[in-house]
Amino acid sequence: MKTKVLLTSFDIWEPHHKSNSSDDLLGLISVQKLTNYSLSFLRKLPVDSQLATQIVIAKIEEIQPDVIICCGMAETRKILTIESQASCGEVVMKTSINLAELVAGLDVTEISNDAGKFVCEDLYYSVLKYLDMSCYQSKCIFVHVPVLTENNRDKIVGDFMKILLYIV
């Protein structure tokens, strides 16, 4: 049986954005040959906390994925960052994945404890809380993606593929 993976990305939200690097990355991942995985994509989610959350949770209920990797753009960051947690007020939700082990062999990825206080954190918090309150045993992480360039694209894709292979 194939491992079911849900991957999400966001649409652009600023007039100067030509694309969203999280969606650019998923476009590159979608053409990879992964025979042991059933990949489902929710690309170009609206940059709206409530609407994005509704869409993602509906998809989780529909396909019941084993792994959920939500991605967002972090245009000021230079490397991939995996968010350890998301908060809403005083409540903090943490991923169940051992991130120290996950990033140990990666070239351009580190752990972040700041999911950004924007729609990315809202979505991550909502998904983690939903999984915590439901009977689903899905693993979930949020990955912030820097702007992709000719210089970093291959390393970013390589690390993301290693992340995907590790958590499934």
Side-chain angles (χ1 to χ4, degrees):
M1 181 184 252
K2 292 185 176 189
T3 302
K4 293 185 281 185
V5 181
L6 174 61
L7 299 126
T8 75
S9 66
F10 285 103
D11 203 349
I12 60 171
W13 74 94
E14 293 283 352
H16 69 275
H17 293 157
K18 292 183 175 86
S19 65
N20 185 306
S21 58
S22 68
D23 190 62
D24 297 340
L25 178 60
L26 292 194
L28 295 168
I29 297 303
S30 70
V31 298
Q32 301 291 320
K33 302 288 186 243
L34 297 165
T35 55
N36 295 329
Y37 307 97
S38 171
L39 302 182
S40 295
F41 293 88
L42 279 177
R43 295 182 58 189
K44 296 188 179 183
L45 288 169
V47 184
D48 175 294
S49 295
Q50 186 174 2
L51 193 52
T53 297
Q54 289 172 349
I55 293 168
V56 172
I57 289 177
K59 193 69 167 179
I60 292 169
E61 290 175 349
E62 175 191 338
I63 67 169
Q64 300 178 16
D66 302 299
V67 175
I68 302 160
I69 303 177
C70 299
C71 300
M73 180 173 166
E75 87 183 293
T76 61
R77 296 183 188 180
K78 301 298 180 206
I79 61 174
L80 284 175
T81 49
I82 302 174
E83 302 302 335
S84 65
Q85 63 189 23
S87 61
C88 181
E90 299 297 316
V91 181
V92 176
M93 301 297 296
K94 295 182 180 280
T95 182
S96 62
I97 295 171
N98 183 330
L99 296 184
E101 277 185 20
L102 174 60
V103 302
L106 302 179
D107 298 319
V108 291
T109 305
E110 65 184 24
I111 299 167
S112 166
N113 299 309
D114 181 3
K117 307 296 180 222
F118 190 48
V119 69
C120 293
E121 181 161 43
D122 293 344
L123 176 63
Y124 192 30
Y125 176 86
S126 297
V127 171
L128 289 173
K129 184 173 179 146
Y130 175 79
L131 293 173
D132 186 56
M133 296 174 62
S134 73
C135 60
Y136 300 124
Q137 298 299 311
S138 304
K139 300 174 191 173
C140 179
I141 59 171
F142 194 101
V143 178
H144 268 118
V145 182
V147 174
L148 299 180
T149 66
E150 281 187 32
N151 293 332
N152 72 6
R153 182 179 299 113
D154 290 343
K155 286 184 178 183
I156 297 285
V157 170
D159 269 13
F160 193 86
M161 291 299 295
K162 290 175 188 173
I163 290 167
L164 182 60
L165 297 173
Y166 174 89
I167 63 174
V168 297

